[in-house]
Amino acid sequence: MEFTSEQRLNDGVLEREFTLGEIPGILWRPASVSARAPVILIGHPGGLPTMYPRLAARAQHCAAEGFAAATIELPGGGNRPRLVAVEEARTELRRALQAGEPVGDEVVDRLVLPLVDQAVPEWRAALDALLSLPEIGGPVGYSGGIIAIGVRLAVVEPRIVAALLFAGSFVPRAMFEEARKVTIPLQVLLQWDDEGNDRQQALELFDAFGSTEKTLHANMGGHTGVPQFEGDDANRFFVRHLR
Amino acid sequence: MEFTSEQRLNDGVLEREFTLGEIPGILWRPASVSARAPVILIGHPGGLPTMYPRLAARAQHCAAEGFAAATIELPGGGNRPRLVAVEEARTELRRALQAGEPVGDEVVDRLVLPLVDQAVPEWRAALDALLSLPEIGGPVGYSGGIIAIGVRLAVVEPRIVAALLFAGSFVPRAMFEEARKVTIPLQVLLQWDDEGNDRQQALELFDAFGSTEKTLHANMGGHTGVPQFEGDDANRFFVRHLR
């Protein structure tokens, strides 16, 4: 992990860009840290340069509760080399959605599974590097992004003790079996009137999770209209489980 | 409205029992009130004497945010005269549930509609009396209890500006049409693994509400296992809308 730049945001949060091999990432640290801070991994749909303003805002919100936050670029996202097969599947999916046709399981598999398979080991490697820094401690939370990546991480990465998942992207059928193996506390966000998302599938996925503590928060406002108060609710969820 | 008793609870909340004609009720007021407090109507399934500990706890939780709280006995509940037809319907419904049989719409109608028709004018009369007290102001929230009563109140009572509804009881089909007419902000609690409740019906009801701001909170823990943190979430919902 090599730090490539460093700046203080206006609330005093220290933001540092880094690379982990070929993978760019960002680490945010609260203005004042007395001990090793818990860290929240901030998921996203890919494309750090365009996602940056929203990611920084989420990180600053976490920092207000004393949490560090970190993210890395997804395989094929931002300035990383394209994943041709994934791009093809994405184009097919968009064509189906625009034509009002049903989205086939096979397209979803070709779009999401390679991302999950490549991204999850990268996030785990990033976690290794983050937890070796003197200012970062456990426990670790995971928040948002492509839900299938969050599900796989929740199953395979024992250092993640709580996850906030955004049920806003397509889920390969195979992930439902993995969901049953999730046992950590979950908070699942669902935009009830999300045009591009399958609400019934999201409810089935919530049902499938094996966790005894799981909470679903459904709101109105469309895919990008998650209400502001859910940011506070997310912090309280992590305060309950990371402190 | 005649006050019949008065006591200070251990957190300083002033609890006063009253009668409104034949209807018993309880009013709770925060320990210190500088101005006329907003008031939250606390719903319940009927039976103040047995429900009292839980109702007082909810009222004290509201009072911690500066809200007054009030409740009245339901028609046929507690020490009020039985409603024979309603009791018969309840017995039939329990028999069906215990036998694992589907619950007929007609039984639900006979159980719930008379309660809604009688209770709603009583709650409105209680509100008239409460708002004439010098220490109680608006705005008014409604919280919990039999969801069909909350739905009807949200439609017909303009002084109620926000409602927290518990999707934990049977809903007559006719109420779905009324739900479409609800426009105030809603927070709907659903116990995902509530054995005696129809989850699909609860989700359909949430979908039917006409409110542009509506939030569903689903949790595990069975009918009576609403997590403690939902009490805090309820307060934050009312703080957003009653202050």
Side-chain angles (χ1 to χ4, degrees):
Chain A
M1 178 177 256
E2 265 184 74
F3 289 101
T4 55
S5 77
E6 172 173 325
Q7 66 167 323
R8 286 270 173 197
L9 305 183
N10 53 15
D11 57 357
V13 168
L14 181 67
E15 174 182 285
R16 282 181 291 173
E17 296 187 303
F18 63 82
T19 55
L20 187 75
E22 301 296 304
I23 309 165
I26 313 174
L27 172 63
W28 294 271
R29 208 182 68 184
S32 61
V33 238
S34 52
R36 292 158 76 93
V39 62
I40 297 174
L41 302 178
I42 297 203
H44 55 84
L48 288 191
T50 50
M51 291 296 297
Y52 171 78
R54 273 181 282 173
L55 297 171
R58 286 164 63 195
Q60 287 176 284
H61 209 83
C62 295
E65 284 292 347
F67 300 132
T71 193
I72 54 171
E73 184 58 274
L74 285 192
N79 300 320
R80 295 184 65 183
R82 306 289 91 184
L83 299 179
V84 178
V86 168
E87 300 272 336
E88 281 173 5
R90 185 176 287 124
T91 305
E92 283 181 53
L93 183 135
R94 285 191 181 144
R95 196 163 45 210
L97 283 178
Q98 279 171 8
E101 293 166 9
V103 175
D105 284 350
E106 179 267 344
V107 180
V108 173
D109 286 355
R110 276 195 288 127
L111 172 62
V112 181
L113 290 180
L115 275 180
V116 174
D117 289 341
Q118 288 186 58
V120 167
E122 294 178 354
W123 282 91
R124 301 188 72 187
L127 199 48
D128 290 340
L130 289 163
L131 291 174
S132 72
L133 297 172
E135 72 269 35
I136 306 295
V140 180
Y142 176 86
S143 174
I146 293 173
I147 190 166
I149 294 176
V151 172
R152 172 75 57 82
L153 274 169
V155 173
V156 302
E157 179 48 72
R159 291 173 293 188
I160 296 176
V161 301
L164 187 136
L165 302 175
F166 181 49
S169 52
F170 289 88
V171 180
R173 296 307 307 182
M175 297 305 296
F176 282 74
E177 270 315 302
E178 295 195 38
R180 281 175 230 290
K181 296 180 193 151
V182 176
T183 56
I184 58 171
L186 297 178
Q187 190 149 297
V188 180
L189 282 186
L190 169 64
Q191 288 299 93
W192 192 256
D193 54 351
D194 185 344
E195 324 71 29
N197 190 31
D198 184 334
R199 185 200 301 163
Q200 191 53 41
Q201 192 192 51
L203 295 171
E204 283 169 28
L205 186 67
F206 178 73
D207 192 49
F209 287 122
S211 308
T212 51
E213 181 178 336
K214 56 180 178 183
T215 299
L216 177 72
H217 282 193
N219 289 288
M220 304 295 284
H223 185 80
T224 57
V226 176
Q228 278 213 319
F229 56 75
E230 286 294 348
D232 300 327
D233 284 10
N235 264 2
R236 280 186 291 268
F237 170 73
F238 284 120
V239 164
R240 284 206 301 279
H241 298 291
L242 301 189
R243 276 224 197 106
Chain B
M1 178 177 256
E2 265 185 75
F3 289 100
T4 55
S5 77
E6 171 174 326
Q7 67 166 325
R8 286 269 172 197
L9 305 183
N10 51 17
D11 56 358
V13 168
L14 181 66
E15 174 183 285
R16 284 181 291 173
E17 296 186 305
F18 62 82
T19 55
L20 188 75
E22 302 295 304
I23 308 165
I26 313 174
L27 170 63
W28 294 270
R29 207 182 68 185
S32 62
V33 239
S34 52
R36 293 159 76 92
V39 62
I40 296 174
L41 303 178
I42 297 201
H44 55 83
L48 288 191
T50 50
M51 291 296 297
Y52 171 77
R54 273 180 283 174
L55 296 171
R58 285 165 62 195
Q60 288 175 282
H61 208 82
C62 296
E65 284 292 348
F67 301 132
T71 193
I72 55 171
E73 185 58 275
L74 285 192
N79 300 320
R80 296 185 65 183
R82 304 290 92 185
L83 299 179
V84 177
V86 168
E87 301 272 338
E88 281 172 6
R90 187 176 287 124
T91 305
E92 284 180 52
L93 182 134
R94 285 191 180 144
R95 197 163 44 212
L97 284 177
Q98 278 170 8
E101 294 166 9
V103 174
D105 284 349
E106 179 267 343
V107 179
V108 174
D109 286 355
R110 277 195 288 126
L111 172 62
V112 181
L113 290 179
L115 275 180
V116 173
D117 289 340
Q118 288 186 58
V120 167
E122 294 178 355
W123 283 91
R124 300 189 72 186
L127 199 48
D128 291 339
L130 289 164
L131 291 175
S132 72
L133 298 172
E135 71 269 34
I136 306 295
V140 180
Y142 176 85
S143 173
I146 293 174
I147 189 166
I149 294 176
V151 172
R152 172 76 57 83
L153 274 169
V155 174
V156 302
E157 178 48 71
R159 291 173 293 188
I160 295 176
V161 301
L164 187 136
L165 302 175
F166 180 48
S169 52
F170 289 89
V171 179
R173 295 307 307 182
M175 297 305 296
F176 282 74
E177 270 316 301
E178 295 195 39
R180 282 175 229 291
K181 297 179 192 149
V182 176
T183 57
I184 59 171
L186 297 178
Q187 190 150 295
V188 180
L189 282 185
L190 169 65
Q191 288 298 94
W192 192 257
D193 55 350
D194 185 343
E195 323 72 27
N197 190 32
D198 184 334
R199 184 200 301 163
Q200 190 54 39
Q201 192 192 50
L203 295 172
E204 282 169 29
L205 186 66
F206 178 72
D207 192 49
F209 287 121
S211 309
T212 51
E213 182 179 335
K214 55 181 179 182
T215 299
L216 176 73
H217 282 193
N219 288 287
M220 303 295 285
H223 185 80
T224 58
V226 177
Q228 278 214 318
F229 56 75
E230 286 294 348
D232 299 327
D233 284 10
N235 264 2
R236 279 185 292 268
F237 170 73
F238 284 120
V239 165
R240 284 205 302 278
H241 298 291
L242 301 188
R243 274 221 199 111

